[in-house]
Amino acid sequence: MPARPRTTPQPPSNRDLLSPVLLLGAGTGEATCGILYLASYLRRNGVEAFVRLHDDDETTAELTRSIERLMARVRPRLVGISLKWFHHLARAQLIAQTLRRIDPEVRLVLGGNTASWFWRELTRWDFVDDLVMGDGEVPLLALCRQAPSPPNCISMNRSRAPLEYVQGAESHEIFYSHFDELFLSLLDQHSFSGWVAPGKGCGENCVYCGGGRGLQASSFGRAKPFLRTHESVRRDHRELAPLVWQLRYDFSGGTADFLGRTWKDIDLSSHSTTYFLWGVPPPSLVDLLAATFGRVYLVLDLGCFSEDQRGELTRRGLLKHCPTDRELLDAVEVCRRHKNVELELGGIAGLPFTSAHAIEQERRLVERLLDLGCAVGYQRLESQPGALVTEHAARFGMVSQAQSFDEFLGWFSRGDPAAVGPVPMVRFLDRAVERAVQLAFEHLDEVVQRQAASAAAIDDDTRLRTSVASTKQVELGEWLGRHCVPPGVAKERVTIVRSINGSGLACAPSLSPRRFNDPLLQQSEAGNAILATLAAFSRPTTVGRALAGLGSRAHLDPHSLRELVEHLAAGRFLQSA
């Protein structure tokens, strides 16, 4: 592989560089890949930047302990919090307040799509020092260098100025680098799902979306979307290919010709890819993906499953161009010609201008797609800040459960998604229409779940084989990070197993929970049972025969052992032989 391109660090204009820097996501799970591009850029310019990419903390106490450990390990002078998604508002507030209590002197910076949209309200958070509007690479570096007037930045003593820094096709700041230096644990590095951003922005204004053309213009100063140069994207692939099991792309991925140039001379035949697309892909792109990657998972966003409703929304300028049912089914057939291509179709129930006819069309198309072996993603219409149907729900005979900053923050501050729902929704004012949409949604959701359960059903005669994509051993201190592990157990060996779809298990059979306990580890008998079960299916065999042969090796009763087999099959550690 060619040597990694690095820029020679230039000294800041003053001697008081704010370094190290710690970048965090504001939500649980994997943070946006944006913090990785930012940290890479800072590293190339002489700032010691670290990320915490994945956050599994469920309680405030767990979050506080994690942040205390991170702050003690990194001792950052600046912490950046990525507030990309609106449903992370309450957690961003909690993280910032926790950081301020731990270190009153650290400089706290917010950025991301939601931070840029709600900038007026967020400047009232007196525990945050700065807010970065729009693209963050150059502004964040300027903050680290303590420039007197950093571009795109708002602070408590500075009002918003016009955006000075707007990325475009020729921007040279955006590419991955230093992946061996950004992460504080192998677990965090392995949690990265391989996102690559071939471009930025959106040229559409879909009625339900909070990231469309209008919001890109107001929050990022970006009049239209752009693709990065193919050499810049190629740098991403060179950096990631040795380290990740898959590469993921969003809507602005480019043509087959563009992507082909970014992959040139990089062997991705053992990698997977997940590609989120608007509408349907041209056959040339499907063929290229199938020839380049070992496994391809395409997710096609259709807007909704009613052809007539899609057409009506498109004619009114409220939806991107979407395929007809015929175009969609032709694309399904193109994908089915490739054994390594899987397909998921996504749509939203309850968009404006629905009708009994549209609801029936949805049902027929979803059932047909399921019969063709496609996966289906189906959800009700969510409230999103800035989306037309959220901001002006009454125009469409609808009502949004949240619209203002305070309403969104209040919704996600309640702490119990079961009580109010995980996100606020947009619903019809007409009770009869709302009931018809909800009943149809519940029916189709049940059909989708039933189909998935049927496909995953296992009995004694089911033949399975181990489908583990990689297995390796590391020290516990390297895996969880030495700031999280007592010295006495830091050198314990952990076996890391990854399935073909990226699911991971960390097994430490020799590590007693009495010495050290962590919910992310499968320890003692649980770890031994997983490794023994995978070994039992190293050659294709039936479930009944494998369970009988395991006997006392797994140290589990027959019922628990069968549940383990089902769990491993659901995670694709085992697959049909």
Side-chain angles (χ1 to χ4, degrees):
M1 188 177 76
R4 169 193 295 142
R6 292 183 186 267
T7 57
T8 302
Q10 299 297 314
S13 56
N14 61 49
R15 301 180 61 184
D16 194 17
L17 181 69
L18 294 181
S19 178
V21 166
L22 176 63
L23 300 179
L24 308 171
T28 56
E30 184 181 2
T32 168
C33 63
I35 66 173
L36 297 174
Y37 284 111
L38 290 171
S40 298
Y41 178 71
L42 293 179
R43 284 269 176 180
R44 293 195 298 271
N45 286 277
V47 177
E48 188 182 18
F50 298 94
V51 299
R52 180 174 70 166
L53 184 69
H54 203 272
D55 179 357
D56 285 307
D57 298 320
E58 295 183 0
T59 67
T60 300
E62 289 173 348
L63 179 68
T64 301
R65 283 195 297 271
S66 292
I67 292 178
E68 287 173 343
R69 290 169 179 167
L70 286 168
M71 296 294 283
R73 164 65 180 82
V74 178
R75 298 190 181 279
R77 299 189 65 195
L78 183 150
V79 177
I81 302 172
S82 172
L83 181 48
K84 181 175 180 64
W85 307 118
F86 65 95
H87 49 284
H88 295 156
L89 274 169
R91 193 171 180 86
Q93 183 182 57
L94 174 61
I95 290 172
Q97 290 171 329
T98 302
L99 284 162
R100 183 56 73 213
R101 285 195 300 271
I102 293 170
D103 185 350
E105 302 302 319
V106 70
R107 190 157 182 172
L108 293 185
V109 182
L110 278 178
N113 294 55
T114 299
S116 297
W117 176 249
F118 282 132
W119 67 271
R120 292 179 182 84
E121 294 84 354
L122 290 170
T123 54
R124 299 200 300 261
W125 287 5
D126 58 5
F127 42 86
V128 173
D129 296 303
D130 301 277
L131 186 67
V132 174
M133 295 283 294
D135 300 307
E137 277 78 359
V138 168
L140 191 57
L141 180 60
L143 286 172
C144 292
R145 291 176 171 175
Q146 301 202 69
S149 298
N152 297 18
C153 291
I154 308 171
S155 67
M156 296 301 293
N157 58 4
R158 187 169 55 245
S159 60
R160 179 182 177 180
L163 295 176
E164 301 174 45
Y165 171 66
V166 178
Q167 292 174 351
E170 299 305 316
S171 296
H172 300 295
E173 305 88 14
I174 323 161
F175 60 91
Y176 287 138
S177 65
H178 296 78
F179 259 55
D180 53 346
E181 301 172 22
L182 303 181
F183 298 91
L184 296 166
S185 71
L186 286 177
L187 172 60
D188 206 31
Q189 185 186 76
H190 282 241
S191 297
F192 177 50
S193 59
W195 280 104
V196 174
K200 291 190 174 185
C202 178
E204 307 289 347
N205 263 332
C206 297
V207 67
Y208 52 80
C209 182
R213 184 176 68 244
L215 276 84
Q216 287 287 314
S218 63
S219 298
F220 285 77
R222 203 173 353 262
K224 59 182 181 179
F226 70 92
L227 283 176
R228 295 159 53 197
T229 65
H230 75 270
E231 181 53 38
S232 175
V233 182
R234 184 171 164 75
R235 286 180 175 182
D236 285 359
H237 292 141
R238 286 201 299 261
E239 182 77 14
L240 297 185
L243 301 173
V244 302
W245 68 275
Q246 78 162 343
L247 295 167
R248 306 183 84 186
Y249 306 92
D250 215 322
F251 306 105
S252 55
T255 63
D257 176 67
F258 176 88
L259 286 171
R261 284 186 288 164
T262 72
W263 296 327
K264 186 179 180 181
D265 301 326
I266 301 174
D267 183 9
L268 299 172
S269 59
S270 61
H271 288 64
S272 296
T273 187
T274 300
Y275 201 144
F276 297 85
L277 287 156
W278 290 331
V280 296
S284 59
L285 180 57
V286 178
D287 294 343
L288 177 66
L289 289 167
T292 302
F293 292 91
R295 176 174 174 264
V296 179
Y297 196 82
L298 293 177
V299 183
L300 310 185
D301 175 18
L302 304 179
C304 66
F305 287 104
S306 164
E307 182 177 52
D308 289 349
Q309 193 177 4
R310 290 197 300 271
E312 179 66 18
L313 288 165
T314 302
R315 283 190 293 273
R316 291 173 180 261
L318 300 174
L319 186 65
K320 59 189 172 286
H321 174 74
C322 291
T324 64
D325 285 0
R326 183 68 268 160
E327 291 169 332
L328 172 61
L329 294 171
D330 287 346
V332 170
E333 289 306 311
V334 170
C335 294
R336 293 180 71 191
R337 290 202 290 264
H338 298 282
K339 292 183 179 180
N340 63 334
V341 175
E342 298 179 57
L343 191 58
E344 177 180 330
L345 292 307
I348 300 173
L351 288 181
F353 309 111
T354 192
S355 64
H357 175 66
I359 291 172
E360 177 59 20
Q361 280 190 331
E362 285 189 333
R363 182 192 64 78
R364 289 200 303 266
L365 182 58
V366 168
E367 291 178 349
R368 185 168 184 183
L369 292 170
L370 291 172
D371 288 341
L372 290 171
C374 301
V376 169
Y378 194 55
Q379 64 182 60
R380 284 297 308 264
L381 177 59
E382 298 177 357
S383 306
Q384 293 192 17
L388 182 61
V389 77
T390 301
E391 299 293 313
H392 304 284
R395 291 187 191 176
F396 306 101
M398 307 180 86
V399 60
S400 176
Q401 292 179 313
Q403 185 181 85
S404 69
F405 173 84
D406 289 335
E407 287 170 340
F408 279 106
L409 178 61
W411 185 280
F412 297 111
S413 298
R414 297 176 192 179
D416 183 10
V420 297
V423 294
M425 310 295 286
V426 182
R427 301 192 181 275
F428 289 94
L429 288 168
D430 187 308
R431 292 185 180 181
V433 174
E434 173 60 29
R435 177 171 173 76
V437 169
Q438 183 63 22
L439 288 175
F441 167 75
E442 291 172 358
H443 166 71
L444 282 179
D445 187 59
E446 182 181 347
V447 170
V448 170
Q449 298 303 323
R450 189 165 60 242
Q451 186 98 343
S454 176
I458 291 174
D459 58 29
D460 280 352
D461 296 326
T462 304
R463 285 178 61 83
L464 300 174
R465 63 178 175 83
T466 300
S467 54
V468 169
S470 67
T471 302
K472 67 177 181 179
Q473 284 200 337
V474 298
E475 291 184 355
L476 180 61
E478 293 179 300
W479 181 245
L480 293 181
R482 296 193 179 273
H483 56 293
C484 295
V485 178
V489 295
K491 292 189 177 298
E492 288 283 343
R493 305 299 290 179
V494 180
T495 300
I496 311 301
V497 184
R498 183 181 61 74
S499 77
I500 60 170
N501 73 346
S503 299
L505 289 170
C507 301
S510 63
L511 183 58
S512 167
R514 290 190 298 274
R515 295 181 63 203
F516 177 80
N517 194 17
D518 189 280
L520 299 178
L521 292 177
Q522 306 298 319
Q523 297 174 227
S524 298
E525 292 184 358
N528 177 71
I530 289 171
L531 297 177
T533 303
L534 292 174
F537 288 97
S538 58
R539 295 181 178 180
T541 187
T542 64
V543 171
R545 185 175 301 157
L547 293 182
L550 276 167
S552 60
R553 284 186 295 148
H555 302 289
L556 291 178
D557 61 84
H559 176 73
S560 298
L561 197 53
R562 184 175 293 276
E563 284 189 336
L564 175 58
V565 170
E566 292 173 351
H567 174 72
L568 292 174
R572 301 292 290 273
F573 296 95
L574 302 173
Q575 66 178 9
S576 298

